[in-house]
Amino acid sequence: MFRLDELVARLGGEVCGDASVEVRRVATLDQAESGDLAFVANRRYFSRLHSSAASAVIVGLDARALLDGRSGILTADPYLYFARVAQLFNPPPAVRPGVHLLAVVSCSLPSTVEVGAGASIDEGAEIGEDVIIGPGSHIGRGTRIGRGTRLAANVTIQHDCVVGENCIIHSGAVIGADGFGFAREKDGRWVKIPQVGRVVIGNEVEIGANTTIDRGALDDTVIGNGCKLDNQVQIAHNVRIGENTAIAGCVGIAGSTTIGARCMIGGQAGIIGHLLICDDVVVSAGTLVSKSLTRPGVYTANLPLQPHADWVRNFAHLRHLDTLVVRVRALESELENQNHKGGPDDRKLG
Amino acid sequence: MFRLDELVARLGGEVCGDASVEVRRVATLDQAESGDLAFVANRRYFSRLHSSAASAVIVGLDARALLDGRSGILTADPYLYFARVAQLFNPPPAVRPGVHLLAVVSCSLPSTVEVGAGASIDEGAEIGEDVIIGPGSHIGRGTRIGRGTRLAANVTIQHDCVVGENCIIHSGAVIGADGFGFAREKDGRWVKIPQVGRVVIGNEVEIGANTTIDRGALDDTVIGNGCKLDNQVQIAHNVRIGENTAIAGCVGIAGSTTIGARCMIGGQAGIIGHLLICDDVVVSAGTLVSKSLTRPGVYTANLPLQPHADWVRNFAHLRHLDTLVVRVRALESELENQNHKGGPDDRKLG
Amino acid sequence: MFRLDELVARLGGEVCGDASVEVRRVATLDQAESGDLAFVANRRYFSRLHSSAASAVIVGLDARALLDGRSGILTADPYLYFARVAQLFNPPPAVRPGVHLLAVVSCSLPSTVEVGAGASIDEGAEIGEDVIIGPGSHIGRGTRIGRGTRLAANVTIQHDCVVGENCIIHSGAVIGADGFGFAREKDGRWVKIPQVGRVVIGNEVEIGANTTIDRGALDDTVIGNGCKLDNQVQIAHNVRIGENTAIAGCVGIAGSTTIGARCMIGGQAGIIGHLLICDDVVVSAGTLVSKSLTRPGVYTANLPLQPHADWVRNFAHLRHLDTLVVRVRALESELENQNHKGGPDDRKLG
């Protein structure tokens, strides 16, 4: 339970209306009840403000008039402010230090670490203070995990990897499995190339459920500080990702590609191997990146959806697009010819 | 072992030929041996009927003549009938009540529940009768699981979620991990928005291996009764899916999208966030849905495959499609002009 | 530590320069230090050869002159040679026979098997010599695993499956979950078809992290000898894959499709169900295969990436491609007409 003036004292912003109003929860405008603090981050939702039962509302500096007597907090970025209030109201669960009787720890551990049932930590691992290793999770030998990092249940981190501080790794994530590296015999058989690099993950990184990050072949796979990876993302060996890049669900990034800082990769996008993507690139959902990108900006390659019959009618032509272009060029030549000679067929006209 | 008349007494349909024929297994027409019951659901396969060694065959009402003296069962929907017979021949393995010595259960459990080795169930969870929690699976605190639901090995369900009755959840599925929600600082750093909603799953839902369903940010993520999700499906926070919708493998659905009842989403399709998809929509494989769909029907957006050299020749033009349209428009103007003026170039002809 | 002449004695090739040079590691040209053996498999990197600190370099037969006094090994396929040397320097970790106290084994095991903490092996499973079952992994009843196969942590293999010899299965892989098979009631409800087939995997197969391979409906799902599957691949029920086929990350293959030997399927590609793909087919990244392929070769269907504004301008026309083709055809008719009649509009000219 916080008063609006207490929130402003902690997080900045300006109280509008009754500063003694108390709020105990964050909520959407539509769902908010009395005692809730809602927010409006988008002008589209201004109209819902008046019907909301929220006790107070976070709004932008330009929306002071809209509060119209209501209590609220004015701030430059209401969504960011909402995030900070939400963190205040919903701190992560406290670490419950101790190793479960049914966990197996083969290295020394700080006393502040929590290790769940069925978890296993191999020889030579180094685990920082206040780390949580969820039930069923496995940490390979020699792997280092920084202080404050939390692993949910059933996470796997293979040997000799590095995870920074204050990371969150969700269930089913697999970090440090072998990269996909093979040489091919003449008869088609594949010879495995041992993957002897590591995965090195910075601080404040979040890794989604069932996301996979492969260890490097010879060098390392590197995820920069502050990166956020959604669920079911696949990061191949020797990929390097700059700081604060966010990657949405189901994205695949092929081997040895380097991605800059502050990029945003949309859901189900793919990036092929051995590319360089510069800082501040945004890739739209479902887009396959097949060449290096040297300029910041938004890049897209996906298809407009159509009713199936329309799709059949329109897309059949894609197989013959070159023929169509040739036909247009022929028409242009013909007309050009006519204009030059004085008519569509000089001989006939002559 | 069932006689055909026993099957018909239980499941309906009409026996054709010898009602005392006994069958012990279902099989495809091609693989069937003596003692097997095969089915023909598709006219394409009628021709294989005569060479099949099956002891009896399930056929449609229109195929009576095709049986030609063979024993069989006539029914309106042979594939549905086959499914019911297959269930009769292959009931799910019985629950083996009891908690494994190496499982950890921190709540009270009905005596009919089976909990496998290495599984863990946290405080305050509520588990219904006849539930199976597979080896290595984890159930978070406060999560409710309805009677008859079966979790395979290594399933993870986080805290405070709800799973209905008679669901099947396959290995590696992760339910209730944090949604992907962040606000962005001016310098590009991401501030996590605590995900305090739940995942609420109805009855008779099947969830495939390594599928992920994130918990809601403020409200819940909801999967309706009877939904079937294949493997490696990703459902983001606050998605709501109506009853009996089926989603094939590798589909990704972004945050806050609502999908109606009885939809069918093809493999590797994607649906972007904040959309409304109405009931009875079918999305083709590999299709990205980028706008709301308000009418039932089949929607498609994917590309025709070509030999690589043809693809290079044809698809290079996609980058210049607008130029091509402009060129066609210019040709049309020019010809229109000619016709209007009486010739390709009036001055020369005049 | 190996001398160059020792390597050549084991692996073939020809020493160039000082045969007594000792190397202890493989490395990339750029990262190599003294004591390292680097390789050049691609003419593009020849220029980096001279600045490399590597003690010796593996090069192609055509690159003898480039060594220019340096020590090295000449071989027909430097990348393949590098793979073999890397295997020599980095043998897989030795099996540490024994069953962990916190593992549960309900079948008899050879004494050479290693079973990690939290692993469980059900009744009737048959495990070969020198097998490793990683921590938290689960093997269902009746499943057979061939000698020398290694399962990482948290792998799940369901009942009655077969895995060959010397396979590697990475964390989070799920083998033998139910295929996605349902018949539909008139009201839209789905009736589960019991999946009674198996998964049968050959020898020397590698299966990536979080990859899923479903069991067959009636018949088996089959993965041939020597196949390599990357992470997050989804193989549906009754798929059959020929020998030495390689499948990159995030690929989905729908039910009952058969794929030949020595195929290479690019990342995020998809193959729809009930197709036949012949031997030696290469599918490009992000390509949806929607028809059977009867000829070897490279097949592609993906989109060129564009800056978002260009994409908007160009791709809007895709919805109207048929209209464009109709317009071009009209222009062709009109011009054809003109030429035939002697002018753009005979009546006016007459």
Side-chain angles (χ1 to χ4, degrees):
Chain A
M1 201 83 141
F2 289 89
R3 289 162 49 114
L4 296 186
D5 50 9
E6 289 170 342
L7 288 176
V8 165
R10 281 168 180 257
L11 303 174
E14 178 193 341
V15 176
C16 211
D18 182 358
S20 70
V21 164
E22 289 190 322
V23 287
R24 61 177 162 73
R25 227 181 45 167
V26 286
T28 58
L29 274 181
D30 289 351
Q31 303 272 331
E33 302 168 10
S34 175
D36 288 355
L37 177 63
F39 70 100
V40 195
N42 191 317
R43 285 176 163 277
R44 266 197 300 174
Y45 300 118
F46 277 173
S47 59
R48 299 194 191 167
L49 198 90
H50 297 289
S51 59
S52 176
S55 290
V57 185
I58 308 165
V59 297
L61 298 172
D62 57 340
R64 180 190 300 265
L66 286 168
L67 281 178
D68 193 22
R70 261 192 123 110
S71 296
I73 295 174
L74 297 172
T75 175
D77 186 338
Y79 191 58
L80 185 60
Y81 200 97
F82 155 71
R84 297 208 175 285
V85 177
Q87 288 190 346
L88 205 60
F89 284 140
N90 303 283
V95 180
R96 297 180 298 183
V99 175
H100 195 283
L101 273 174
L102 294 180
V104 182
V105 178
S106 306
C107 64
S108 64
L109 278 188
S111 62
T112 56
V113 168
E114 171 181 341
V115 181
S120 58
I121 306 179
D122 283 355
E123 303 79 6
E126 297 174 32
I127 312 295
E129 300 276 349
D130 302 313
V131 164
I132 299 176
I133 307 293
S137 289
H138 172 74
I139 310 295
R141 65 182 149 69
T143 282
R144 300 203 311 264
I145 298 185
R147 66 191 304 281
T149 285
R150 289 156 182 260
L151 274 60
N154 291 327
V155 167
T156 305
I157 306 184
Q158 299 294 357
H159 63 94
D160 295 313
C161 293
V162 178
V163 177
E165 301 181 354
N166 300 314
C167 294
I168 298 173
I169 305 184
H170 291 285
S171 295
V174 177
I175 293 167
D178 283 351
F180 196 62
F182 302 89
R184 204 182 194 194
E185 301 263 23
K186 277 198 187 116
D187 62 1
R189 280 181 302 125
W190 297 100
V191 178
K192 182 177 177 71
I193 295 167
Q195 304 290 302
V196 301
R198 306 172 298 168
V199 176
V200 177
I201 294 174
N203 302 324
E204 321 280 343
V205 171
E206 186 157 344
I207 294 174
N210 286 348
T211 280
T212 49
I213 305 176
D214 277 353
R215 65 192 317 116
L218 292 170
D219 307 332
D220 297 328
T221 304
V222 179
I223 312 291
N225 293 328
C227 285
K228 309 296 177 187
L229 277 60
D230 197 357
N231 297 349
Q232 300 199 33
V233 171
Q234 149 69 357
I235 309 287
H237 55 184
N238 301 107
V239 166
R240 303 179 77 89
I241 303 182
E243 296 199 349
N244 298 316
T245 281
I247 301 181
C250 307
V251 165
I253 301 180
S256 301
T257 278
T258 295
I259 298 178
R262 297 176 306 279
C263 292
M264 294 194 277
I265 315 296
Q268 285 188 331
I271 306 185
I272 72 165
H274 297 273
L275 300 185
L276 279 167
I277 310 296
C278 71
D279 296 345
D280 299 302
V281 160
V282 176
V283 175
S284 301
T287 295
L288 182 72
V289 181
S290 50
K291 59 174 188 181
S292 291
L293 299 173
T294 56
R295 290 188 187 185
V298 182
Y299 294 85
T300 306
N302 55 42
L303 290 174
L305 179 86
Q306 297 179 295
H308 189 74
D310 294 348
W311 171 82
V312 169
R313 210 176 52 239
N314 286 303
F315 276 45
H317 299 300
L318 283 177
R319 286 188 210 265
H320 312 291
L321 208 49
D322 188 54
T323 307
L324 184 68
V325 172
V326 167
R327 285 162 63 188
V328 170
R329 203 175 298 136
L331 286 166
E332 288 168 339
S333 298
E334 173 114 11
L335 268 185
E336 172 66 19
N337 229 13
Q338 286 185 7
N339 290 343
H340 187 68
K341 292 188 181 172
D345 190 331
D346 266 330
R347 287 158 299 179
K348 286 191 188 169
L349 285 173
Chain B
M1 203 82 143
F2 289 88
R3 290 162 48 113
L4 296 187
D5 49 10
E6 288 170 342
L7 287 176
V8 164
R10 281 170 181 254
L11 302 174
E14 178 193 342
V15 176
C16 210
D18 181 357
S20 70
V21 164
E22 288 189 322
V23 287
R24 60 176 163 75
R25 227 180 46 166
V26 286
T28 57
L29 274 181
D30 289 350
Q31 304 273 331
E33 300 167 11
S34 175
D36 289 353
L37 175 64
F39 71 102
V40 195
N42 192 317
R43 285 177 163 276
R44 267 197 299 176
Y45 300 118
F46 278 172
S47 60
R48 300 194 190 166
L49 200 92
H50 296 288
S51 59
S52 177
S55 290
V57 186
I58 308 166
V59 298
L61 298 172
D62 57 340
R64 180 189 302 262
L66 285 169
L67 281 178
D68 193 24
R70 262 194 123 109
S71 296
I73 296 174
L74 297 171
T75 175
D77 186 337
Y79 192 56
L80 184 60
Y81 201 97
F82 155 72
R84 297 209 174 285
V85 176
Q87 288 190 346
L88 205 61
F89 284 139
N90 303 283
V95 181
R96 297 181 298 183
V99 175
H100 195 282
L101 273 174
L102 294 180
V104 181
V105 177
S106 306
C107 64
S108 64
L109 278 188
S111 62
T112 56
V113 168
E114 171 181 341
V115 182
S120 58
I121 307 179
D122 284 356
E123 303 79 7
E126 297 175 32
I127 311 295
E129 301 276 349
D130 301 314
V131 163
I132 299 177
I133 308 292
S137 289
H138 172 73
I139 310 295
R141 66 181 149 70
T143 283
R144 301 204 310 265
I145 297 185
R147 67 191 303 281
T149 285
R150 289 156 181 260
L151 275 61
N154 291 328
V155 168
T156 305
I157 306 184
Q158 299 294 356
H159 64 92
D160 296 313
C161 292
V162 178
V163 178
E165 301 181 354
N166 299 314
C167 295
I168 298 172
I169 306 184
H170 290 286
S171 296
V174 177
I175 294 167
D178 283 351
F180 196 61
F182 302 89
R184 204 180 192 194
E185 301 262 24
K186 276 196 186 118
D187 63 2
R189 281 181 301 125
W190 297 100
V191 177
K192 182 178 176 68
I193 295 166
Q195 304 289 302
V196 300
R198 306 172 298 170
V199 176
V200 177
I201 293 173
N203 301 324
E204 319 280 344
V205 171
E206 185 157 344
I207 294 174
N210 285 348
T211 281
T212 49
I213 305 176
D214 277 352
R215 63 192 318 116
L218 292 170
D219 307 332
D220 296 329
T221 304
V222 180
I223 311 292
N225 293 328
C227 284
K228 309 296 177 187
L229 278 60
D230 197 355
N231 297 349
Q232 300 200 33
V233 171
Q234 150 68 359
I235 309 288
H237 55 185
N238 301 105
V239 166
R240 303 178 78 89
I241 303 182
E243 296 197 351
N244 298 316
T245 281
I247 301 182
C250 306
V251 165
I253 302 180
S256 301
T257 279
T258 295
I259 297 177
R262 297 175 305 279
C263 293
M264 293 193 276
I265 315 295
Q268 286 188 331
I271 306 186
I272 72 164
H274 297 273
L275 300 184
L276 280 167
I277 310 297
C278 71
D279 295 345
D280 299 302
V281 160
V282 176
V283 175
S284 299
T287 295
L288 182 72
V289 180
S290 49
K291 59 175 189 181
S292 291
L293 298 173
T294 56
R295 291 188 187 184
V298 182
Y299 294 85
T300 306
N302 55 41
L303 290 175
L305 179 85
Q306 297 179 294
H308 189 76
D310 293 348
W311 170 81
V312 170
R313 210 176 53 240
N314 284 304
F315 276 46
H317 299 300
L318 282 177
R319 286 187 209 267
H320 312 291
L321 208 50
D322 187 55
T323 306
L324 185 68
V325 171
V326 167
R327 285 162 63 188
V328 170
R329 201 174 298 134
L331 286 165
E332 288 167 338
S333 297
E334 173 114 11
L335 267 186
E336 172 67 19
N337 230 11
Q338 286 185 7
N339 288 343
H340 186 68
K341 292 187 181 173
D345 189 329
D346 265 332
R347 287 156 301 179
K348 289 192 187 169
L349 286 174
Chain C
M1 202 83 140
F2 289 89
R3 289 162 49 112
L4 296 187
D5 50 8
E6 289 170 342
L7 288 175
V8 166
R10 283 169 180 256
L11 304 174
E14 178 193 340
V15 176
C16 210
D18 181 358
S20 70
V21 164
E22 289 188 322
V23 287
R24 60 175 163 74
R25 227 179 47 166
V26 287
T28 58
L29 274 181
D30 290 351
Q31 304 272 330
E33 301 167 10
S34 174
D36 289 355
L37 176 64
F39 71 102
V40 195
N42 192 318
R43 287 178 161 275
R44 266 196 300 174
Y45 301 117
F46 277 172
S47 59
R48 300 194 191 165
L49 199 90
H50 297 288
S51 59
S52 177
S55 290
V57 185
I58 308 165
V59 298
L61 298 172
D62 57 340
R64 180 190 301 262
L66 286 168
L67 281 178
D68 193 21
R70 260 193 125 109
S71 296
I73 296 174
L74 297 171
T75 176
D77 186 338
Y79 191 57
L80 184 60
Y81 200 97
F82 154 72
R84 298 208 175 285
V85 177
Q87 289 190 348
L88 205 60
F89 284 139
N90 304 281
V95 180
R96 298 181 298 185
V99 176
H100 195 282
L101 273 174
L102 294 180
V104 181
V105 177
S106 306
C107 64
S108 62
L109 279 188
S111 62
T112 56
V113 168
E114 171 181 342
V115 182
S120 59
I121 307 178
D122 284 355
E123 303 79 5
E126 297 174 31
I127 312 293
E129 300 277 348
D130 302 313
V131 164
I132 299 177
I133 307 293
S137 289
H138 172 73
I139 310 295
R141 65 182 150 70
T143 283
R144 301 204 310 266
I145 297 185
R147 67 190 304 281
T149 285
R150 290 156 181 260
L151 275 60
N154 292 325
V155 168
T156 306
I157 306 183
Q158 299 295 357
H159 64 94
D160 296 312
C161 293
V162 178
V163 178
E165 301 181 355
N166 300 315
C167 294
I168 299 173
I169 305 184
H170 291 286
S171 296
V174 177
I175 294 167
D178 283 351
F180 196 61
F182 303 90
R184 203 180 193 195
E185 301 263 24
K186 277 199 185 113
D187 63 2
R189 280 181 302 125
W190 297 101
V191 177
K192 182 177 177 71
I193 295 166
Q195 303 290 301
V196 301
R198 305 173 297 167
V199 176
V200 177
I201 294 174
N203 302 324
E204 320 279 344
V205 171
E206 185 157 344
I207 295 174
N210 286 347
T211 280
T212 49
I213 305 176
D214 279 351
R215 65 192 317 115
L218 292 170
D219 306 333
D220 297 329
T221 303
V222 179
I223 312 291
N225 293 328
C227 285
K228 309 296 177 185
L229 278 59
D230 197 357
N231 297 348
Q232 300 198 33
V233 171
Q234 149 70 357
I235 308 288
H237 54 185
N238 300 106
V239 165
R240 303 178 78 88
I241 303 182
E243 296 199 350
N244 297 316
T245 281
I247 301 182
C250 307
V251 165
I253 301 179
S256 300
T257 279
T258 296
I259 298 178
R262 297 175 306 279
C263 293
M264 294 195 276
I265 315 295
Q268 286 188 331
I271 306 184
I272 72 164
H274 297 273
L275 300 185
L276 280 167
I277 310 296
C278 72
D279 295 346
D280 299 302
V281 160
V282 177
V283 175
S284 301
T287 295
L288 182 72
V289 180
S290 50
K291 60 174 188 181
S292 291
L293 298 173
T294 56
R295 291 187 188 187
V298 182
Y299 294 85
T300 306
N302 55 41
L303 289 175
L305 179 85
Q306 297 178 295
H308 189 75
D310 293 348
W311 171 81
V312 169
R313 210 175 54 239
N314 285 304
F315 276 47
H317 300 300
L318 283 177
R319 287 188 208 268
H320 311 290
L321 209 49
D322 188 55
T323 306
L324 184 68
V325 172
V326 167
R327 284 162 62 189
V328 170
R329 201 174 298 134
L331 287 166
E332 289 168 337
S333 296
E334 174 115 10
L335 268 185
E336 172 67 19
N337 228 13
Q338 287 184 8
N339 289 343
H340 187 69
K341 292 186 182 174
D345 188 332
D346 265 331
R347 286 157 302 179
K348 286 191 188 169
L349 285 174

